[in-house]
mmCIF file of all heavy atoms in Angstrom:
data_model
loop_
_atom_site.group_PDB
_atom_site.id
_atom_site.type_symbol
_atom_site.label_atom_id
_atom_site.label_comp_id
_atom_site.label_asym_id
_atom_site.label_seq_id
_atom_site.Cartn_x
_atom_site.Cartn_y
_atom_site.Cartn_z
ATOM 1 N N LEU B 154 21.281 11.970 21.586
ATOM 2 C CA LEU B 154 20.147 12.742 22.140
ATOM 3 C C LEU B 154 19.784 12.206 23.495
ATOM 4 O O LEU B 154 19.971 11.015 23.772
ATOM 5 C CB LEU B 154 18.950 12.608 21.172
ATOM 6 C CG LEU B 154 19.114 13.267 19.793
ATOM 7 C CD1 LEU B 154 17.936 12.867 18.908
ATOM 8 C CD2 LEU B 154 19.224 14.767 19.923
ATOM 9 N N PRO B 155 19.296 13.068 24.378
ATOM 10 C CA PRO B 155 18.908 12.585 25.703
ATOM 11 C C PRO B 155 17.663 11.705 25.601
ATOM 12 O O PRO B 155 16.947 11.731 24.575
ATOM 13 C CB PRO B 155 18.583 13.889 26.447
ATOM 14 C CG PRO B 155 18.173 14.838 25.392
ATOM 15 C CD PRO B 155 19.004 14.491 24.176
ATOM 16 N N ALA B 156 17.398 10.926 26.640
ATOM 17 C CA ALA B 156 16.137 10.175 26.712
ATOM 18 C C ALA B 156 15.037 11.154 26.951
ATOM 19 O O ALA B 156 15.105 12.054 27.788
ATOM 20 C CB ALA B 156 16.231 9.153 27.850
ATOM 21 N N PHE B 157 13.944 10.991 26.179
ATOM 22 C CA PHE B 157 12.754 11.826 26.330
ATOM 23 C C PHE B 157 11.646 10.956 26.971
ATOM 24 O O PHE B 157 11.650 9.746 26.808
ATOM 25 C CB PHE B 157 12.257 12.349 24.983
ATOM 26 C CG PHE B 157 13.265 13.265 24.325
ATOM 27 C CD1 PHE B 157 14.000 12.798 23.246
ATOM 28 C CD2 PHE B 157 13.422 14.594 24.742
ATOM 29 C CE1 PHE B 157 14.902 13.655 22.618
ATOM 30 C CE2 PHE B 157 14.354 15.434 24.140
ATOM 31 C CZ PHE B 157 15.092 14.959 23.061
ATOM 32 N N PRO B 158 10.733 11.611 27.743
ATOM 33 C CA PRO B 158 9.631 10.842 28.301
ATOM 34 C C PRO B 158 8.896 10.029 27.229
ATOM 35 O O PRO B 158 8.693 10.526 26.109
ATOM 36 C CB PRO B 158 8.728 11.942 28.877
ATOM 37 C CG PRO B 158 9.624 13.097 29.147
ATOM 38 C CD PRO B 158 10.653 13.037 28.082
ATOM 39 N N LYS B 159 8.578 8.780 27.573
ATOM 40 C CA LYS B 159 7.770 7.896 26.741
ATOM 41 C C LYS B 159 8.559 7.355 25.498
ATOM 42 O O LYS B 159 7.968 6.701 24.657
ATOM 43 C CB LYS B 159 6.474 8.553 26.286
ATOM 44 C CG LYS B 159 5.595 8.919 27.485
ATOM 45 C CD LYS B 159 4.275 9.528 27.037
ATOM 46 C CE LYS B 159 3.499 10.091 28.219
ATOM 47 N NZ LYS B 159 2.367 10.925 27.869
ATOM 48 N N ASP B 160 9.813 7.665 25.380
ATOM 49 C CA ASP B 160 10.623 7.053 24.343
ATOM 50 C C ASP B 160 10.571 5.521 24.499
ATOM 51 O O ASP B 160 10.589 5.024 25.626
ATOM 52 C CB ASP B 160 12.125 7.444 24.484
ATOM 53 C CG ASP B 160 12.435 8.734 23.738
ATOM 54 O OD1 ASP B 160 11.558 9.339 23.138
ATOM 55 O OD2 ASP B 160 13.621 9.111 23.758
ATOM 56 N N LYS B 161 10.486 4.828 23.405
ATOM 57 C CA LYS B 161 10.610 3.357 23.459
ATOM 58 C C LYS B 161 11.518 2.976 22.298
ATOM 59 O O LYS B 161 11.096 2.363 21.309
ATOM 60 C CB LYS B 161 9.239 2.713 23.332
ATOM 61 C CG LYS B 161 9.249 1.230 23.686
ATOM 62 C CD LYS B 161 7.883 0.616 23.714
ATOM 63 C CE LYS B 161 7.969 -0.853 24.050
ATOM 64 N NZ LYS B 161 6.633 -1.473 24.079
ATOM 65 N N LEU B 162 12.765 3.335 22.446
ATOM 66 C CA LEU B 162 13.703 3.255 21.303
ATOM 67 C C LEU B 162 14.214 1.833 21.118
ATOM 68 O O LEU B 162 14.574 1.177 22.082
ATOM 69 C CB LEU B 162 14.873 4.208 21.545
ATOM 70 C CG LEU B 162 14.501 5.682 21.725
ATOM 71 C CD1 LEU B 162 15.754 6.537 21.879
ATOM 72 C CD2 LEU B 162 13.639 6.207 20.578
ATOM 73 N N ASP B 163 14.267 1.438 19.866
ATOM 74 C CA ASP B 163 14.833 0.160 19.487
ATOM 75 C C ASP B 163 16.274 0.407 19.048
ATOM 76 O O ASP B 163 16.524 1.157 18.086
ATOM 77 C CB ASP B 163 13.995 -0.386 18.323
ATOM 78 C CG ASP B 163 14.539 -1.729 17.793
ATOM 79 O OD1 ASP B 163 15.640 -2.152 18.225
ATOM 80 O OD2 ASP B 163 13.860 -2.305 16.908
ATOM 81 N N PRO B 164 17.253 -0.171 19.759
ATOM 82 C CA PRO B 164 18.659 0.069 19.359
ATOM 83 C C PRO B 164 18.938 -0.277 17.895
ATOM 84 O O PRO B 164 19.761 0.319 17.271
ATOM 85 C CB PRO B 164 19.455 -0.848 20.298
ATOM 86 C CG PRO B 164 18.570 -1.151 21.422
ATOM 87 C CD PRO B 164 17.173 -1.083 20.901
ATOM 88 N N ALA B 165 18.182 -1.257 17.373
ATOM 89 C CA ALA B 165 18.374 -1.675 15.993
ATOM 90 C C ALA B 165 17.777 -0.654 14.971
ATOM 91 O O ALA B 165 17.910 -0.855 13.776
ATOM 92 C CB ALA B 165 17.728 -3.020 15.760
ATOM 93 N N ARG B 166 17.100 0.377 15.495
ATOM 94 C CA ARG B 166 16.615 1.446 14.610
ATOM 95 C C ARG B 166 17.216 2.779 15.053
ATOM 96 O O ARG B 166 16.645 3.840 14.708
ATOM 97 C CB ARG B 166 15.081 1.547 14.717
ATOM 98 C CG ARG B 166 14.332 0.328 14.203
ATOM 99 C CD ARG B 166 12.838 0.631 14.161
ATOM 100 N NE ARG B 166 12.003 -0.498 13.825
ATOM 101 C CZ ARG B 166 11.752 -0.917 12.597
ATOM 102 N NH1 ARG B 166 12.281 -0.285 11.569
ATOM 103 N NH2 ARG B 166 10.949 -1.918 12.373
ATOM 104 N N SER B 167 18.319 2.777 15.766
ATOM 105 C CA SER B 167 18.870 4.005 16.324
ATOM 106 C C SER B 167 20.390 4.050 16.060
ATOM 107 O O SER B 167 21.047 3.041 15.894
ATOM 108 C CB SER B 167 18.617 4.043 17.837
ATOM 109 O OG SER B 167 17.209 4.048 18.082
#
Side-chain angles (χ1 to χ4, degrees):
Chain B
L154 293 172
F157 297 104
K159 300 182 189 168
D160 272 1
K161 193 174 179 180
L162 303 182
D163 178 353
R166 295 187 187 277
S167 300

